[in-house]
Amino acid sequence: MNQTEKTAIVLRYANYGERDRMLTLFSPTRGLIEAAAHGCRRPKSRLLSASELFALGDFELFEKGGRYTVTGFTLIENFYPLRDDWDRLNAGTYLLNLCESAVQPGENAQELFMLLLHTLSRLAFSDQPWRPLLTGFLAHFANTEGFRPRLRHCVVCGDRVEDSAKAWFDLREGGLCCTRHRQEGMPAILPEERAFLHHALETGSSSWTEGAARLAPLSLMEKYVEAHLEKPLRVKAPT
Ligand SMILES: [Zn+2]
C-alpha cells in the first residue's frame, strides 16, 4: 500500500456504480494509469473536476495490490474553451484517444505528453485553425512514436524526389514514392502538402496562416498514423 502524487491528464472515463468513475490517466513518467474515482459524480464531490475529459492536474493516488484510487486532486487546467466548438472538441478528443492507443502502462512518454498539452492549449486558447494543428500533431506523433515519414526520398529506390515533382505516399513504408515506383491505389501527396509536413517537422512551428489550413494533408496523416497503431481507435477522426 502506498500513496503517491502524479501529474496526469484524463484520457477517458467509464461510469460505474451510482456515483463512481474509472479514469484512464496519462502520466508523463508512468504512462497509462487506471484509477477509480469514488463518489466523483456526486454534485459536491471534491473529485468532480478530476473526473472529466481533459482534466490536467496533480492526482493523489492510493495504490493497493496494483489498483489505484484517486484520493485527492489539484486542477492545473481543464482546457474549458474546447467545449464551445464542436470541431475543436472532436479534434481534442481524437488526440486523447490517439495517446491512449499509443502509450503503455508504466511507460515514460514525456515527449508525447508535452506534444499533447501543447496542441490542446492551441486548440483551446488560440484562434489557429484546427486542421493544421491536428495535422502537425499527427506528424510529430509519428516522429515521437518512431515512424517519422520520409518526405524527400522515394522509399523504394531512395532517389531524391524534387520538391515540385509529382509523388505518392506509401502508408505502410511511411514515405514518398516516385512516379516509377508508385503502386495502384496509393494516395498522391502534393508538393504543398509535403512542404507543410516538412515545415511542421523541421521547425516545430504552429504559426499557421489561413492558407496553410488548406494545405495540411489531414486525412492522409490520419490514415498513416492509424495504420501504425496497435490498438484501434474508438473516436472517429474529424473531417
Ligand atoms: Zn522510386
Side-chain angles (χ1 to χ4, degrees):
M1 283 193 278
N2 68 78
Q3 187 82 30
T4 54
E5 185 174 290
K6 291 271 174 267
T7 300
I9 184 168
V10 176
L11 298 183
R12 179 153 74 109
Y13 64 76
N15 291 337
Y16 72 98
E18 290 203 357
R19 291 161 176 186
D20 310 324
R21 271 183 182 170
M22 184 60 75
L23 309 179
T24 303
L25 307 177
F26 175 16
S27 145
T29 55
R30 297 293 301 277
L32 291 191
I33 300 170
E34 298 283 331
H38 295 299
C40 67
R41 287 151 67 204
R42 279 199 318 262
K44 287 184 179 169
S45 169
R46 60 202 172 82
L47 298 181
L48 202 60
S49 64
S51 59
E52 299 292 339
L53 289 185
F54 305 105
L56 167 71
D58 293 322
F59 288 81
E60 289 167 35
L61 298 172
F62 178 74
E63 187 262 340
K64 185 182 177 187
R67 290 176 185 273
Y68 289 91
T69 305
V70 183
T71 54
F73 178 68
T74 307
L75 182 72
I76 297 171
E77 181 57 65
N78 63 6
F79 304 99
Y80 194 82
L82 286 176
R83 281 82 168 171
D84 294 335
D85 181 311
W86 174 251
D87 284 333
R88 294 172 98 83
L89 178 63
N90 192 5
T93 310
Y94 181 70
L95 299 187
L96 299 185
N97 197 197
L98 272 177
C99 289
E100 187 190 338
S101 294
V103 179
Q104 305 296 319
E107 181 184 350
N108 186 316
Q110 302 201 40
E111 202 178 339
L112 182 57
F113 188 80
M114 292 314 295
L115 177 63
L116 175 65
L117 297 196
H118 178 79
T119 310
L120 288 179
S121 296
R122 288 183 180 273
L123 279 172
F125 303 116
S126 82
D127 55 7
Q128 290 171 344
W130 63 270
R131 278 170 200 281
L133 282 173
L134 191 50
T135 312
F137 176 92
L138 290 166
H140 284 285
F141 179 90
N143 186 42
T144 304
E145 295 299 303
F147 54 97
R148 181 186 174 112
R150 294 186 73 191
L151 298 167
R152 295 282 201 222
H153 298 85
C154 172
V155 292
V156 180
C157 64
D159 282 0
R160 176 83 159 86
V161 177
E162 292 305 321
D163 289 348
S164 59
K166 278 192 170 181
W168 287 261
F169 195 85
D170 187 327
L171 293 169
R172 203 162 49 85
E173 294 297 323
L176 301 188
C177 266
C178 69
T179 308
R180 280 185 300 141
H181 294 111
R182 67 174 285 210
Q183 285 174 21
E184 195 63 34
M186 262 184 199
I189 178 167
L190 298 172
E192 297 82 3
E193 295 175 324
R194 274 130 60 190
F196 176 94
L197 292 177
H198 198 72
H199 180 75
L201 284 168
E202 289 304 312
T203 67
S205 165
S206 27
S207 54
W208 317 112
T209 60
E210 278 298 327
R214 289 193 302 275
L215 305 176
L218 177 59
S219 73
L220 181 75
M221 289 309 290
E222 284 170 349
K223 286 196 190 89
Y224 177 51
V225 163
E226 288 174 22
H228 284 75
L229 292 174
E230 285 175 18
K231 285 184 271 180
L233 295 177
R234 287 174 296 100
V235 178
K236 202 168 148 19
T239 51

